[in-house]
Amino acid sequence: MSAASGSSSGLFAAARNSAATLLTAGRTRLELLGNEIKEEKLRAVHLLLVSQLLAFCLALGTILGVALLVVLFWEQRAAVLGGFCVLFFAVAGVAYVGLQRAVRRPDRMFSASMAELGADLSQLKAAARNESRTD
């Protein structure tokens, strides 16, 4: 009787330890995921603020610069305004390409969490294979 009771308590303890290990691993993965979400949010806010500051300063400087050149070259104001119009469209195209590159990131979102979950899965599969071999 004691062997059967010791076996069931050992099995229950092993199951309890396995559940505790799984919960701890899950908690760790959720904390990692939360950190990655915070990092992505900060990156997005930073990109937004820097791009707004850049756009505002460039717009103000451009307007003042064109106004100054129009006043200085009053006789050729149509040529000055046309030239700047072409220049602004070219700069806008370059800025669009640069913004597209900044928005795209080569690595996947939550790559660290996915790598950790993949490692956990492979360890669980290896442990399951070892358990089946010992039976």
Side-chain angles (χ1 to χ4, degrees), residues 48-85:
L48 179 66
L49 290 175
V50 170
S51 65
Q52 286 179 345
L53 178 65
L54 174 69
F56 175 76
C57 290
L58 279 176
L60 188 61
T62 300
I63 290 169
L64 292 173
V66 169
L68 175 68
L69 288 173
V70 167
V71 168
L72 287 175
F73 298 104
W74 188 253
E75 302 300 320
Q76 295 87 16
R77 62 185 172 259
V80 169
L81 289 174
F84 277 109
C85 183

Side-chain angles (χ1 to χ4, degrees), residues 112-124:
S113 292
M114 296 302 290
E116 288 296 323
L117 288 172
D120 290 345
L121 183 61
S122 65
Q123 288 175 357
L124 286 173

Side-chain angles (χ1 to χ4, degrees):
M1 286 292 259
S2 69
S5 123
S7 169
S8 68
S9 69
L11 184 59
F12 180 69
R16 187 175 54 216
N17 288 339
S18 295
T21 302
L22 284 174
L23 287 174
T24 303
R27 180 176 179 218
T28 303
R29 299 311 176 247
L30 285 175
E31 288 174 354
L32 180 61
L33 183 66
N35 286 340
E36 288 182 352
I37 288 172
K38 284 181 189 176
E39 286 178 10
E40 286 298 318
K41 184 175 95 172
L42 289 174
R43 179 181 170 272
V45 168
H46 182 260
L47 272 175
L48 179 66
L49 290 175
V50 170
S51 65
Q52 286 179 345
L53 178 65
L54 174 69
F56 175 76
C57 290
L58 279 176
L60 188 61
T62 300
I63 290 169
L64 292 173
V66 169
L68 175 68
L69 288 173
V70 167
V71 168
L72 287 175
F73 298 104
W74 188 253
E75 302 300 320
Q76 295 87 16
R77 62 185 172 259
V80 169
L81 289 174
F84 277 109
C85 183
V86 169
L87 176 69
F88 293 149
F89 279 122
V91 170
V94 170
Y96 177 75
V97 169
L99 188 60
Q100 289 295 320
R101 285 185 187 158
V103 169
R104 276 189 245 121
R105 266 180 57 174
D107 57 336
R108 290 187 350 200
M109 196 168 169
F110 309 123
S111 60
S113 292
M114 296 302 290
E116 288 296 323
L117 288 172
D120 290 345
L121 183 61
S122 65
Q123 288 175 357
L124 286 173
K125 285 181 180 179
R129 272 184 264 144
N130 288 340
E131 285 292 321
S132 66
R133 288 182 188 160
T134 58
D135 289 340

